[in-house]
Amino acid sequence: MRLRALLETDALGLRLLGGEEELDRTVRGVMTTDLRDPSRYLSGGELVLTGLAWRREPEDSERFVRILVAAQVAGLAAGEAELGSVPEDLVLACARHRLPLFSVVEDVSFASITEYVVRRVSGERAGDLAAVVDRHRRLMTSGPAGGGPEVVLDLLGSDLDLPAWVLSPTGRRIAVPSVAAAAGPGGAPELPSAVCARLAGEHLAAQRSGRRGPHRVTADDGVTYSLFPIRSGGPAPSGAGDVRETVLSDWLLVVGADAGDWPEERLDLLHGVTQLIAVERDRRDASRTVRRRLAQEVLELVQSGAPPAEVAARLRVAAPVLLPGLATAPHWQVVVAQVEWEGGTAPGGPVAQSLLEEVLVDPEATGPEPSDRIAVAHTGDEAVALVPLPALPALPDVPAADGEGGGSGGGAYGFEAGLHADALLAAVREPLSRGLDGDGRLTLGVSAVVHSADGLRGALEEARHARRVAAARPGRVCAAGHQELASHVLLLPFVPDDVRRAFTARLLDPLYDYDRRHRAELIPTLEAFLDCDGSWTRCATRLHLHVNTLRYRVGRIEQLTGRDLARLEDKLDFFLALRMS
């Protein structure tokens, strides 16, 4: 708004005392102060309201006005209640420095003036932002010149003082304000990963419940955030009348403010911002088409038993797309995902594909680009990802140990490199569990690294088998890796439930019953003893017991169960029973 508008409102009781030629200055805010030096609180463009309590002698006026002019304020309004009138020395000082000066009559409160200015400035900012957003929308829909969602976030911060971020359904930061915007007034501070995961989970839960947005969430630090869903503007999946088919892939706009009492105009503006960002989302989804097609072609060749040379040729085509600039052929990993809904009423393949494209990205990576190096296909309810890894450096020859071969690039390195099942889900388990809660499950299987097309078929089967191991575990979101396929853990999920119950009851029920009656802690003692490989000293130290006390407890375990913990067979039985209980 312009300073001139203040004189056009009689209810404000303002009278111009000087600076008529400067009335076209823009007012960007308002500040009330009686400090002798308020410069630290001024950022420029304010209408300063003062009761003149800072003035003790005429010379103070010159000093005070110099400070305001240096801060580039728009104007000064002085109240008449303290001195009865605005002193002449202040009028002269403002005239010398060309600072517009108003007087405020005694029966008009500064609060009334502040409310008027804030309302006018906010309304004009919203209108300006709406115009910018509309222009940005036209740019983005006609080509890539709009600059992406980061530009819109910068506008929200600079023009409406609204810190904002765009998150994926797993809580990854898709877009954040620029450094310049974040540093300025109203700019967005850093949004911690834990808060991102919490907000994404709350968003998914709210969407699944059918509640209308924006959803408001108060984080642990007391800050209230408003969550606006960013729905795809592209064609819906086949039969997509089910919210489960899209809610797990929609982005969300997080605004660091409570939208509960916002006027409809501001809510409409934010919904317009989400539509604008959705255009960019659709464009980026469309760019995945080539990668998905490459993955589908490779998957079909592998599953049909095509010769390795043919698969290798297709991989050579895929590698430059997925890893541009890569000089040598990459290694590959295969990740298999499946989303299952209770009742089987919604297809899981497209949802698993979209989720896998996001899950495979480092949760700390910002922006959409990291997902541009992952090719995911889907068939039925299953999604399969081909994950390229830069060629692993050769290891120096090492001596063979325990009968295993050494040599460059040994198998141990391949086992440690690449993706690990537990790490994949560590950052996304919380939000996805909220989104699947009630009737859905996500299970993942991860293969070992393969170094050529020859190993791709085996990697696919390995990943599928690992996924079946994950599916046998409890929980909404589970994963298993290739390492577990060479362990006893592989056998446990496939033991029938009735056999599990009988086996564990026969061995452990006597101990549970004894612990309930005597609080003897035999079960924790047994777990610690086995975990310490039967070492009396280490186990006693871990449990903070005397060795004789430990020997007494182990003797009681053997007496109640008829087993001997000095025998390997009995140790193994107890170990398996504890794992299956």
Side-chain angles (χ1 to χ4, degrees):
M1 62 173 292
R2 305 289 183 182
L3 276 176
R4 193 179 304 279
L6 297 172
L7 296 174
E8 298 170 355
T9 306
D10 295 337
L12 296 181
L14 295 177
R15 183 166 58 93
L16 183 65
L17 299 181
E20 183 175 2
E21 66 281 3
E22 303 291 337
L23 289 180
D24 285 329
R25 291 187 181 186
T26 299
V27 179
R28 302 184 186 278
V30 62
M31 178 190 176
T32 299
T33 184
D34 276 315
L35 295 173
R36 293 173 64 83
D37 182 0
S39 58
R40 74 183 70 178
Y41 305 111
L42 297 170
S43 57
E46 294 93 349
L47 171 68
V48 176
L49 307 176
T50 181
L52 300 176
W54 49 264
R55 183 184 177 278
R56 297 184 177 88
E57 53 188 12
E59 290 76 12
D60 291 340
S61 294
E62 175 70 19
R63 179 175 176 275
F64 186 76
V65 170
R66 283 181 179 274
I67 290 172
L68 298 188
V69 171
Q72 297 183 328
V73 303
L76 174 64
E80 297 178 351
E82 181 75 14
L83 302 177
S85 63
V86 177
E88 185 66 20
D89 49 84
L90 180 59
V91 176
L92 293 175
C94 288
R96 280 194 296 272
H97 296 282
R98 302 176 64 84
L99 179 66
L101 174 64
F102 303 87
S103 66
V104 183
V105 297
E106 186 173 350
D107 57 351
V108 174
S109 69
F110 284 173
S112 299
I113 300 173
T114 299
E115 181 182 0
Y116 173 83
V117 173
V118 169
R119 187 169 60 249
R120 282 287 302 269
V121 169
S122 296
E124 291 177 8
R125 283 182 178 175
D128 292 343
L129 180 61
V132 173
V133 166
D134 183 64
R135 182 173 70 254
H136 196 69
R137 178 185 292 112
R138 291 196 299 270
L139 286 170
M140 290 181 68
T141 52
S142 62
E150 293 82 3
V151 174
V152 183
L153 300 186
D154 289 349
L155 290 171
L156 288 174
S158 62
D159 285 28
L160 288 185
D161 293 340
L162 291 178
W165 308 261
V166 177
L167 303 183
S168 78
T170 65
R172 188 171 66 86
R173 291 172 284 264
I174 296 291
V176 298
S178 69
V179 175
E190 179 67 24
L191 195 63
S193 298
V195 175
C196 291
R198 162 86 188 282
L199 296 177
E202 295 288 350
H203 164 74
L204 291 176
Q207 291 290 93
R208 287 294 306 276
S209 69
R211 301 201 308 269
R212 287 191 60 191
H215 313 300
R216 294 146 60 205
V217 178
T218 300
D220 294 338
D221 58 4
V223 178
T224 298
Y225 298 91
S226 299
L227 313 180
F228 294 80
I230 300 172
R231 295 189 172 89
S232 172
S238 57
D242 196 322
V243 68
R244 294 177 299 186
E245 296 184 48
T246 57
V247 68
L248 290 172
S249 59
D250 284 342
W251 290 355
L252 66 146
L253 175 67
V254 175
V255 177
D258 188 345
D261 57 354
W262 282 6
E264 287 297 323
E265 294 79 7
R266 177 165 285 205
L267 289 174
D268 288 344
L269 174 63
L270 266 294
H271 287 302
V273 169
T274 65
Q275 294 169 8
L276 177 59
I277 297 173
V279 173
E280 181 68 7
R281 168 70 192 273
D282 292 338
R283 173 178 290 113
R284 290 169 177 176
D285 279 350
S287 70
R288 291 180 174 176
T289 303
V290 174
R291 296 189 297 279
R292 288 176 171 177
R293 187 185 307 121
L294 287 171
Q296 194 72 43
E297 291 174 355
V298 173
L299 178 62
E300 290 172 358
L301 288 173
V302 171
Q303 292 187 131
S304 64
E310 187 175 351
V311 178
R314 184 60 61 187
L315 287 176
R316 282 195 294 272
V317 174
V321 176
L322 299 174
L323 287 177
L326 192 68
T328 59
H331 299 307
W332 300 88
Q333 264 183 293
V334 176
V335 182
V336 171
Q338 190 165 321
V339 172
E340 300 170 285
W341 304 105
E342 292 180 8
T345 55
V351 179
Q353 181 182 43
S354 179
L355 278 181
L356 200 49
E357 288 172 332
E358 182 59 37
V359 167
L360 291 174
V361 179
D362 181 352
E364 294 300 323
T366 300
E369 291 75 15
S371 63
D372 292 346
R373 295 187 173 185
I374 298 165
V376 184
H378 79 84
T379 174
D381 286 338
E382 178 186 74
V384 179
L386 295 174
V387 183
L389 303 170
L392 303 176
L395 290 184
D397 288 341
V398 294
D402 299 329
E404 296 180 1
S408 296
Y413 187 83
F415 267 72
E416 294 172 1
L419 303 171
H420 290 256
D422 290 340
L424 276 180
L425 294 185
V428 303
R429 183 176 275 110
E430 177 189 349
L432 291 185
S433 295
R434 298 291 304 275
L436 293 161
D437 190 29
D439 61 352
R441 291 196 75 207
L442 169 66
T443 51
L444 295 180
V446 182
S447 79
V449 177
V450 294
H451 304 178
S452 67
D454 294 354
L456 209 53
R457 182 177 179 85
L460 176 60
E461 292 306 316
E462 190 174 56
R464 283 174 169 163
H465 199 54
R467 193 208 62 78
R468 288 193 289 270
V469 171
R473 297 172 176 167
R476 292 288 172 190
V477 180
C478 299
H482 59 92
Q483 300 94 334
E484 300 177 53
L485 303 186
S487 166
H488 66 275
V489 178
L490 171 63
L491 305 176
L492 300 185
F494 302 102
V495 177
D497 288 343
D498 55 344
V499 176
R500 282 171 181 258
R501 286 191 293 269
F503 182 72
T504 57
R506 186 165 58 250
L507 273 178
L508 301 183
D509 279 3
L511 305 183
Y512 282 118
D513 291 341
Y514 192 87
D515 279 350
R516 278 194 294 270
R517 293 197 308 270
H518 302 284
R519 298 181 181 178
E521 297 189 355
L522 296 184
I523 289 292
T525 301
L526 175 62
E527 291 175 332
F529 186 72
L530 294 175
D531 199 36
C532 292
D533 299 322
S535 169
W536 296 99
T537 304
R538 282 196 289 131
C539 184
T541 301
R542 175 181 293 191
L543 296 175
H544 306 288
L545 298 174
H546 193 277
V547 172
N548 289 341
T549 303
L550 176 61
R551 291 185 184 277
Y552 172 80
R553 288 187 183 180
V554 170
R556 179 65 67 184
I557 292 170
E558 293 174 334
Q559 180 185 15
L560 291 169
T561 61
R563 299 298 184 107
D564 182 358
L565 277 168
R567 299 177 68 245
L568 176 62
E569 293 87 345
D570 288 342
K571 287 181 182 176
L572 181 59
D573 283 348
F574 277 122
F575 179 80
L576 294 174
L578 288 169
R579 292 300 297 264
M580 290 191 294
S581 64

